[in-house]
Amino acid sequence: MTTRRKFIQGAALAGPAALATPALAQNKITWRLQTYAGAALAEHVLDPAIKMFNQIAGDRMQIETYYADQIVPTGELFQAMQRGTIDAVQSDDDSMASPTEVTVFGGYFPFGSRYSLDVPVLFNQYGLNEIWAEEYAKVGVKHISAGAWDPCHFATKDPINSLEDMKGKRIFTFPTAGRFLSQFGVVPVNLPWEDIEVAVQTGELDGIAWSGITEDYTVGWADVTNYFLTNNISGAWIGHFFANMERWNELPEDLKMLFEVCCQQSHYYRQHWYWGGEARLRVHGEKLKLTTIPDAEWATVESAAREFWEEIAAESDVKRRVVDIFKQYNTDMEKAGRPYRYT
């Protein structure tokens, strides 16, 4: 009784603040976040930001990370997040089969960007953030932020030196990119991310159009392919952080802000990791031989992309809004000249 009485007296003297820390620890928020990326890639594109968040949030909140297909297949990420099986997702719209009007623009929208800086400018200065927020709010998901990843190139077992060489190639790529490339004879193949390396080794795939050269080296694809085509389909992948809307709304404002800041740090890290890596591995990498389709011939692909944009824009008013932004942005960049555009 003496010990109990002393404890109660001490707590009364210390006031409510003395009991605040244990209460927070008991009510720690735990989230599960799954990324589209496998473990080797997530080490760069996700882990540093989440480790930073967890360290700062401490006993108040922790985020558990899961890699490609660990809880659900990548194509089911949206549904799992929407129903609350997982709390947050790092992915592009296309790969996670988002049911929104903007899904077709996720990942690598053909020639939608030329450089990685194009992506944050499109979202933060040309209005794409507002459109994405509107579309995801309609389906109970919080769009947190968008960022740029690497450009999209072919890595193949056999060399590609012309458009003719693309014909019949079985290629792992994003849904929208596959839809676009099929007009050039490419055969898009959809497989789990973790199965790609073996599929190339066994001949199920002839190559990959999923990333730039940095990812090819990082995840092991440069070990099973021989050639890297320097012409790219898109200058930067458009990827995002999303959260279940109910889980997001339950967070205190400072934890929302912390998560947003850590997402921005993740975007910034990728910006320089990819930009430097793409150049360094082209110059110093020893695993892939570079090939190039001549500019005059590649212009055929660029021209087809503009027609593809109009095809997409005709599908809905929202898609028209997005395509018009892409068109205005690229017109502005071309008029701005060097270093924004060279042609």
Side-chain angles (χ1 to χ4, degrees):
M1 285 296 295
T2 301
T3 302
R4 182 180 175 189
R5 188 177 296 111
K6 287 180 179 178
F7 171 79
I8 294 171
Q9 290 172 343
L13 290 171
L19 301 177
T21 301
L24 282 172
Q26 291 170 8
N27 297 308
K28 180 176 71 177
I29 300 166
T30 301
W31 270 18
R32 300 200 299 176
L33 183 156
Q34 184 173 318
T35 177
Y36 78 99
L41 182 59
E43 182 181 348
H44 293 279
V45 303
L46 177 68
D47 290 349
I50 302 305
K51 287 178 181 177
M52 181 188 302
F53 179 92
N54 287 342
Q55 183 175 351
I56 297 171
D59 287 337
R60 296 184 64 201
M61 181 172 176
Q62 292 288 289
I63 298 175
E64 301 170 353
T65 53
Y66 298 86
Y67 305 137
D69 307 314
Q70 282 193 328
I71 298 179
V72 297
T74 297
E76 297 176 15
L77 278 175
F78 177 85
Q79 293 179 356
M81 173 175 51
Q82 188 184 46
R83 65 175 175 257
T85 303
I86 52 181
D87 304 291
V89 164
Q90 181 196 42
S91 178
D92 67 277
D93 319 73
D94 214 10
S95 297
M96 70 176 188
S98 164
T100 66
E101 289 291 318
V102 295
T103 296
V104 71
F105 303 102
Y108 291 117
F109 190 60
F111 298 95
S113 62
R114 181 170 294 190
Y115 306 119
S116 57
L117 273 175
D118 289 341
V119 172
V121 175
L122 279 161
F123 275 84
N124 294 296
Q125 296 185 26
Y126 277 72
L128 292 191
N129 263 336
E130 290 75 14
I131 296 175
W132 259 249
E134 292 169 6
E135 290 304 302
Y136 278 97
K138 293 176 184 176
V139 290
V141 167
K142 169 67 177 178
H143 174 255
I144 298 169
S145 64
W149 271 249
D150 50 341
C152 184
H153 295 258
F154 282 84
T156 52
K157 292 193 291 186
D158 298 322
I160 295 178
N161 294 296
S162 68
L163 294 182
E164 184 67 25
D165 293 336
M166 289 186 179
K167 292 182 178 178
K169 291 284 192 298
R170 293 161 297 177
I171 300 293
F172 173 65
T173 190
F174 290 84
T176 299
R179 174 179 165 184
F180 172 70
L181 290 169
S182 62
Q183 66 185 290
F184 300 100
V186 170
V187 180
V189 179
N190 184 27
L191 292 171
W193 191 91
E194 294 287 0
D195 294 346
I196 303 309
E197 186 173 346
V198 173
V200 176
Q201 288 176 305
T202 61
E204 186 176 354
L205 288 173
D206 298 305
I208 301 152
W210 178 272
S211 68
I213 200 169
T214 306
E215 280 193 27
D216 291 334
Y217 273 77
T218 301
V219 306
W221 293 339
D223 297 324
V224 295
T225 54
N226 302 311
Y227 297 93
F228 179 85
L229 181 64
T230 60
N231 311 76
N232 64 51
I233 302 163
S234 177
W237 187 75
I238 302 174
H240 313 262
F241 284 95
F242 304 94
N244 174 282
M245 188 67 83
E246 290 184 11
R247 298 289 81 75
W248 178 259
N249 289 338
E250 290 169 358
L251 291 183
E253 290 303 314
D254 62 329
L255 288 180
K256 291 179 182 177
M257 185 179 297
L258 175 59
F259 190 71
E260 289 173 339
V261 168
C262 290
C263 290
Q264 290 300 328
Q265 176 61 26
S266 176
H267 297 323
Y268 172 71
Y269 177 91
R270 287 190 309 275
Q271 198 93 51
H272 64 77
W273 183 63
Y274 279 122
W275 184 258
E278 296 300 301
R280 185 181 64 256
L281 290 170
R282 285 193 188 196
V283 176
H284 301 291
E286 299 178 349
K287 295 180 180 180
L288 295 174
K289 183 177 179 180
L290 307 183
T291 65
T292 300
I293 295 175
D295 289 344
E297 189 174 1
W298 191 247
T300 304
V301 183
E302 295 181 350
S303 176
R306 301 302 182 267
E307 295 177 12
F308 182 75
W309 289 12
E310 291 305 316
E311 176 186 330
I312 297 298
E315 294 177 354
S316 74
D317 290 340
V318 172
K319 291 176 181 177
R320 167 56 67 187
R321 287 172 63 196
V322 176
V323 168
D324 285 347
I325 287 173
F326 274 116
K327 290 169 68 176
Q328 182 63 58
Y329 177 75
N330 279 278
T331 297
D332 289 349
M333 293 299 104
E334 288 164 7
K335 289 181 178 179
R338 297 171 184 267
Y340 299 96
R341 293 293 185 266
Y342 286 84
T343 57

